[in-house]
mmCIF file of all heavy atoms in Angstrom:
data_model
loop_
_atom_site.group_PDB
_atom_site.id
_atom_site.type_symbol
_atom_site.label_atom_id
_atom_site.label_comp_id
_atom_site.label_asym_id
_atom_site.label_seq_id
_atom_site.Cartn_x
_atom_site.Cartn_y
_atom_site.Cartn_z
ATOM 1 N N PRO U 705 72.435 341.552 91.143
ATOM 2 C CA PRO U 705 71.207 341.465 91.927
ATOM 3 C C PRO U 705 70.979 340.105 92.580
ATOM 4 O O PRO U 705 70.572 339.983 93.719
ATOM 5 C CB PRO U 705 70.031 341.738 90.918
ATOM 6 C CG PRO U 705 70.697 342.564 89.820
ATOM 7 C CD PRO U 705 72.042 342.057 89.738
ATOM 8 N N GLU U 706 71.430 339.002 91.899
ATOM 9 C CA GLU U 706 71.365 337.679 92.469
ATOM 10 C C GLU U 706 72.330 337.566 93.675
ATOM 11 O O GLU U 706 72.041 336.838 94.631
ATOM 12 C CB GLU U 706 71.658 336.634 91.408
ATOM 13 C CG GLU U 706 70.669 336.592 90.333
ATOM 14 C CD GLU U 706 71.074 335.592 89.216
ATOM 15 O OE1 GLU U 706 71.750 334.423 89.476
ATOM 16 O OE2 GLU U 706 70.966 335.914 88.055
ATOM 17 N N THR U 707 73.523 338.154 93.460
ATOM 18 C CA THR U 707 74.535 338.091 94.577
ATOM 19 C C THR U 707 73.901 338.852 95.777
ATOM 20 O O THR U 707 74.041 338.351 96.911
ATOM 21 C CB THR U 707 75.785 338.707 94.168
ATOM 22 O OG1 THR U 707 76.353 338.054 93.033
ATOM 23 C CG2 THR U 707 76.786 338.712 95.330
ATOM 24 N N HIS U 708 73.285 339.949 95.580
ATOM 25 C CA HIS U 708 72.622 340.740 96.748
ATOM 26 C C HIS U 708 71.530 339.991 97.317
ATOM 27 O O HIS U 708 71.475 339.988 98.530
ATOM 28 C CB HIS U 708 72.029 342.017 96.187
ATOM 29 C CG HIS U 708 73.025 343.010 95.694
ATOM 30 N ND1 HIS U 708 72.798 344.082 94.884
ATOM 31 C CD2 HIS U 708 74.470 343.045 95.813
ATOM 32 C CE1 HIS U 708 73.936 344.838 94.611
ATOM 33 N NE2 HIS U 708 74.915 344.153 95.215
ATOM 34 N N ALA U 709 70.713 339.166 96.626
ATOM 35 C CA ALA U 709 69.743 338.345 97.275
ATOM 36 C C ALA U 709 70.403 337.240 97.983
ATOM 37 O O ALA U 709 69.844 336.833 99.110
ATOM 38 C CB ALA U 709 68.794 337.809 95.987
ATOM 39 N N ARG U 710 71.309 336.631 97.425
ATOM 40 C CA ARG U 710 72.068 335.623 98.163
ATOM 41 C C ARG U 710 72.662 336.109 99.463
ATOM 42 O O ARG U 710 72.572 335.516 100.657
ATOM 43 C CB ARG U 710 73.304 335.042 97.436
ATOM 44 C CG ARG U 710 72.993 334.073 96.428
ATOM 45 C CD ARG U 710 74.224 333.483 95.753
ATOM 46 N NE ARG U 710 73.948 332.646 94.735
ATOM 47 C CZ ARG U 710 74.765 331.738 94.058
ATOM 48 N NH1 ARG U 710 76.039 331.976 94.328
ATOM 49 N NH2 ARG U 710 74.439 330.990 93.155
ATOM 50 N N LEU U 711 73.211 337.271 99.375
ATOM 51 C CA LEU U 711 73.818 337.891 100.714
ATOM 52 C C LEU U 711 72.706 338.198 101.698
ATOM 53 O O LEU U 711 73.030 337.841 102.896
ATOM 54 C CB LEU U 711 74.606 339.238 100.321
ATOM 55 C CG LEU U 711 75.144 339.915 101.450
ATOM 56 C CD1 LEU U 711 76.222 338.995 102.169
ATOM 57 C CD2 LEU U 711 75.890 341.193 100.806
ATOM 58 N N ALA U 712 71.632 338.714 101.202
ATOM 59 C CA ALA U 712 70.375 339.026 102.210
ATOM 60 C C ALA U 712 69.962 337.706 102.916
ATOM 61 O O ALA U 712 69.846 337.689 104.174
ATOM 62 C CB ALA U 712 69.381 339.655 101.432
ATOM 63 N N GLU U 713 69.984 336.521 102.203
ATOM 64 C CA GLU U 713 69.592 335.342 102.749
ATOM 65 C C GLU U 713 70.553 334.785 103.754
ATOM 66 O O GLU U 713 70.260 334.320 104.770
ATOM 67 C CB GLU U 713 69.229 334.346 101.547
ATOM 68 C CG GLU U 713 68.632 333.076 101.985
ATOM 69 C CD GLU U 713 68.390 332.112 100.715
ATOM 70 O OE1 GLU U 713 68.327 332.628 99.678
ATOM 71 O OE2 GLU U 713 68.242 330.890 100.973
ATOM 72 N N VAL U 714 71.820 334.840 103.356
ATOM 73 C CA VAL U 714 72.916 334.295 104.168
ATOM 74 C C VAL U 714 72.961 335.057 105.441
ATOM 75 O O VAL U 714 73.104 334.656 106.501
ATOM 76 C CB VAL U 714 74.244 334.299 103.472
ATOM 77 C CG1 VAL U 714 75.407 334.001 104.342
ATOM 78 C CG2 VAL U 714 74.181 333.154 102.367
ATOM 79 N N VAL U 715 72.926 336.424 105.362
ATOM 80 C CA VAL U 715 73.029 337.265 106.522
ATOM 81 C C VAL U 715 71.828 337.042 107.458
ATOM 82 O O VAL U 715 72.076 336.899 108.729
ATOM 83 C CB VAL U 715 73.036 338.882 106.105
ATOM 84 C CG1 VAL U 715 72.652 339.798 107.337
ATOM 85 C CG2 VAL U 715 74.353 339.188 105.578
ATOM 86 N N ALA U 716 70.651 336.842 106.855
ATOM 87 C CA ALA U 716 69.425 336.563 107.732
ATOM 88 C C ALA U 716 69.634 335.195 108.470
ATOM 89 O O ALA U 716 69.274 335.197 109.640
ATOM 90 C CB ALA U 716 68.273 336.544 106.888
ATOM 91 N N VAL U 717 70.198 334.215 107.797
ATOM 92 C CA VAL U 717 70.381 332.879 108.486
ATOM 93 C C VAL U 717 71.447 333.029 109.563
ATOM 94 O O VAL U 717 71.267 332.565 110.623
ATOM 95 C CB VAL U 717 70.723 331.912 107.382
ATOM 96 C CG1 VAL U 717 71.277 330.629 108.041
ATOM 97 C CG2 VAL U 717 69.548 331.526 106.556
#
Side-chain angles (χ1 to χ4, degrees):
E706 293 171 41
T707 300
H708 295 165
R710 281 185 180 186
L711 179 57
E713 190 176 336
V714 167
V715 166
V717 168

